[in-house]
Amino acid sequence: MMKIAGNPIVLFFSYCWVLILVSIIRCQTLIPYDFGFVFIAIILQSFVFVSFSRGFFNQSYWVFSLLFFGMVPIIEIEFNVRSYVGMPALTDSDIMYAGIFIFGLNLLYAISYEVFKKRGHVNIIPEQVLELKKNTEYKNNVFFIFSIIIGAICFIVVFEDMNNNIVSLFFRGGDFQDTNEEWGPQKLIIQRFIRPIPMILFLSFVLLYGYKSKIKLLLLFVVAVVVAFPTSLPRFVAASLYIPIIFVFVPRLKKGLSYFYFLILSLLFIFPLLNSFRRYNSDDGFILITAGDLKFFVEGHFDSFQTFAQVIAHEIITYGEQLVMVFLFWVPRSIWGQKPVSSGVEIGQRLGAYFTNMSANIYAEGWINFGFLGAVLFAILLGFISSKIDSYFYLLLKFNILALKAKLKLQILAYFILSALFFITLRGDLVTGVSNTLGVIFAWSLVFLLSRIVDKKLFSS
């Protein structure tokens, strides 16, 4: 039986708030003869299905659907944005059909999630997951020293990669942007694997040894922030590293649909503000984007729906070529001369875009590989993966995280990070999501292995 995870009254008023916002943007979209009704339906669909959510992956999905598939297309219609970066303009029919497809794929995802959720439910006996109190002060010191040493090494590697430019540690792009945009294997390893390590070490220290060693925590946090400063990272990567801090220090956020509301507010207000500090140039300085500035949503940051519509409208299918690129992204072009480009670049090149670094959401990836059946397959597979992961952690999250066994604490930390990183996979392109996810998994695995070596007693129970 499906149970409502959030407060129905809060969900109802949240939906009403979104409808009021939409009506302010464009009152005509509420009139049945206008194709904007499709996106109102997607917004409602997102609120309805998230109300039965049991985990962070599912809540991330419905936040993505609400904003990228529901609200942003309406804002694009209002500003008459029918294409980005020089691609052909989408017609009303193109937009409407893409919206209908998204509604159907959302429904298929929700059914898949619910079916596999029922099969993934497990009972947990407290004695199996709760940790016995141990004296770990000595190991606390050892883990701290190793963490500082590893953090220092990460800093040196990252700083060297940024041409020893201290300002580049804090800002992306503009006058500080590296003129060499080619990301070879070395750059990928540094950005995807090395930069997250100090933050994972910091959070692992908190979970394993608690909050008492405040000076140690402060030092570890400073190192983590310097190596991975939020405005020097892609926004969703920054979210994946910093949102878990809030989970750890504000446990209430993991209850009910608090994460869902937090993500929505972050995307609507915090992300535009962060974007203001991502780029700097000597002529204009920082261009501050105020919260609620709707133009931010039609500047290409939220192009996910339109790239999907372009794929359908222009029947772009590569018959699995893009999927091969995802599995073999780590192979350098010097070895594989005919290596395909990522899906966003492929779409842009085919449609004559003057800037091809665009997103291709998870359903665009399915469609560009295997057509309509590919999108359907991706929706079912996405529901399966999200449901299995959420089901595993659902009951664990009902306990105080600090009271769990060491192994489970670090597994939950990985869940916190990956659920936020899930947004990159949803937004696309897929190769970016996979490379970021694998980088974080390898970084987490390194920290997990270090933790077990340093404090075997803590992991023995």
Side-chain angles (χ1 to χ4, degrees):
M1 181 178 177
M2 296 175 69
K3 295 182 179 180
I4 296 179
N7 188 322
I9 298 176
V10 175
L11 281 170
F12 173 75
F13 281 106
S14 298
Y15 178 65
C16 291
W17 177 81
V18 171
L19 277 185
I20 292 170
L21 177 63
V22 167
S23 65
I24 292 172
I25 297 170
R26 192 167 192 264
C27 293
Q28 301 98 297
T29 55
L30 301 180
I31 301 175
Y33 64 75
D34 193 335
F35 63 88
F37 79 90
V38 174
F39 304 106
I40 298 293
I42 291 173
I43 291 172
L44 177 59
Q45 180 188 49
S46 301
F47 274 108
V48 168
F49 283 115
V50 80
S51 66
F52 302 104
S53 178
R54 70 186 302 170
F56 297 153
F57 271 66
N58 197 39
Q59 291 182 41
S60 293
Y61 179 89
W62 291 115
V63 170
F64 182 81
S65 172
L66 171 66
L67 295 178
F68 285 77
F69 294 154
M71 293 182 65
V72 169
I74 293 174
I75 298 172
E76 289 171 338
I77 293 168
E78 167 62 15
F79 284 93
N80 198 31
V81 175
R82 300 304 181 102
S83 70
Y84 289 104
V85 294
M87 292 190 294
L90 295 165
T91 65
D92 288 0
S93 296
D94 293 334
I95 296 172
M96 182 177 70
Y97 288 140
I100 292 172
F101 277 124
I102 288 295
F103 183 88
L105 292 168
N106 275 351
L107 188 61
L108 194 58
Y109 163 85
I111 293 171
S112 175
Y113 185 92
E114 185 62 28
V115 168
F116 292 111
K117 180 179 75 173
K118 291 179 179 179
R119 296 181 180 181
H121 182 81
V122 291
N123 292 318
I124 290 180
I125 301 172
E127 290 74 14
Q128 294 176 338
V129 298
L130 296 179
E131 179 183 58
L132 297 175
K133 296 298 181 182
K134 299 182 177 72
N135 184 5
T136 58
E137 185 62 31
Y138 169 72
K139 300 300 183 180
N140 170 323
N141 293 328
V142 175
F143 186 81
F144 169 75
I145 292 170
F146 272 108
S147 298
I148 288 294
I149 293 172
I150 294 172
I153 294 172
C154 291
F155 171 78
I156 293 170
V157 172
V158 171
F159 192 50
E160 178 67 25
D161 181 64
M162 294 180 173
N163 298 322
N164 301 318
N165 185 341
I166 191 69
V167 183
S168 294
L169 286 170
F170 303 100
F171 303 104
R172 291 179 72 220
D175 291 351
F176 312 124
Q177 188 170 23
D178 190 348
T179 54
N180 182 12
E181 292 293 336
E182 182 66 26
W183 275 37
Q186 178 180 327
K187 187 80 170 181
L188 282 171
I189 291 171
I190 293 171
Q191 295 295 324
R192 307 286 198 247
F193 169 64
I194 292 179
R195 294 193 79 179
I197 289 175
M199 186 62 75
I200 296 175
L201 284 167
F202 162 70
L203 290 168
S204 298
F205 187 90
V206 175
L207 292 175
L208 294 175
Y209 302 108
Y211 310 111
K212 292 183 179 180
S213 305
K214 291 183 172 54
I215 295 178
K216 295 176 184 177
L217 287 175
L218 179 61
L219 290 173
L220 289 174
F221 181 68
V222 169
V223 173
V225 170
V226 170
V227 174
F229 200 74
T231 51
S232 71
L233 297 170
R235 283 155 298 184
F236 293 109
V237 175
S240 71
L241 295 179
Y242 284 87
I243 286 178
I245 298 175
I246 303 174
F247 279 136
V248 171
F249 286 92
V250 187
R252 185 176 179 81
L253 187 63
K254 64 186 178 70
K255 296 182 179 180
L257 296 181
S258 299
Y259 178 57
F260 173 76
Y261 299 122
F262 176 78
L263 273 185
I264 292 175
L265 293 175
S266 297
L267 284 164
L268 290 177
F269 300 105
I270 298 176
F271 271 42
L273 187 61
L274 276 177
N275 194 70
S276 303
F277 297 98
R278 289 175 67 238
R279 300 186 182 276
Y280 171 89
N281 64 70
S282 53
D283 295 328
D284 301 321
F286 295 109
I287 301 174
L288 185 63
I289 301 173
T290 58
D293 185 355
L294 295 180
K295 290 184 179 180
F296 172 74
F297 296 95
V298 292
E299 291 178 347
H301 308 289
F302 295 81
D303 61 347
S304 182
F305 172 80
Q306 285 210 7
T307 52
F308 175 69
Q310 294 281 7
V311 168
I312 297 175
H314 298 280
E315 300 179 351
I316 302 175
I317 303 176
T318 64
Y319 301 100
E321 188 175 278
Q322 302 310 119
L323 211 52
V324 173
M325 163 66 171
V326 171
F327 289 126
L328 300 177
F329 73 90
W330 46 271
V331 179
R333 293 190 183 277
S334 59
I335 297 176
W336 184 9
Q338 300 301 315
K339 182 179 179 179
V341 293
S342 62
S343 296
V345 174
E346 177 73 17
I347 295 167
Q349 289 180 349
R350 289 202 183 198
L351 300 181
Y354 58 80
F355 178 75
T356 58
N357 185 21
M358 60 184 69
S359 65
N361 66 55
I362 192 69
Y363 296 134
E365 289 282 358
W367 202 292
I368 200 173
N369 276 288
F370 307 112
F372 171 73
L373 291 179
V376 169
L377 178 63
F378 273 43
I380 295 172
L381 187 61
L382 197 65
F384 168 78
I385 293 172
S386 299
S387 182
K388 288 299 182 182
I389 295 174
D390 281 346
S391 295
Y392 178 79
F393 288 99
Y394 174 66
L395 293 179
L396 285 176
L397 291 176
K398 291 184 177 295
F399 294 95
N400 179 354
I401 299 175
L402 295 180
L404 294 173
K405 293 183 177 181
K407 178 182 176 180
L408 296 176
K409 290 176 182 178
L410 296 190
Q411 286 181 355
I412 288 176
L413 173 59
Y415 179 58
F416 288 162
I417 296 173
L418 292 176
S419 60
L421 205 58
F422 187 46
F423 240 88
I424 297 180
T425 303
L426 292 172
R427 179 179 180 265
D429 47 33
L430 187 58
V431 68
T432 303
V434 169
S435 63
N436 274 285
T437 301
L438 288 178
V440 165
I441 289 174
F442 288 140
W444 176 87
S445 300
L446 176 67
V447 174
F448 184 81
L449 181 62
L450 173 67
S451 305
R452 296 198 65 152
I453 292 173
V454 168
D455 202 340
K456 293 180 181 179
K457 184 178 179 181
L458 192 63
F459 285 83
S460 61
S461 59

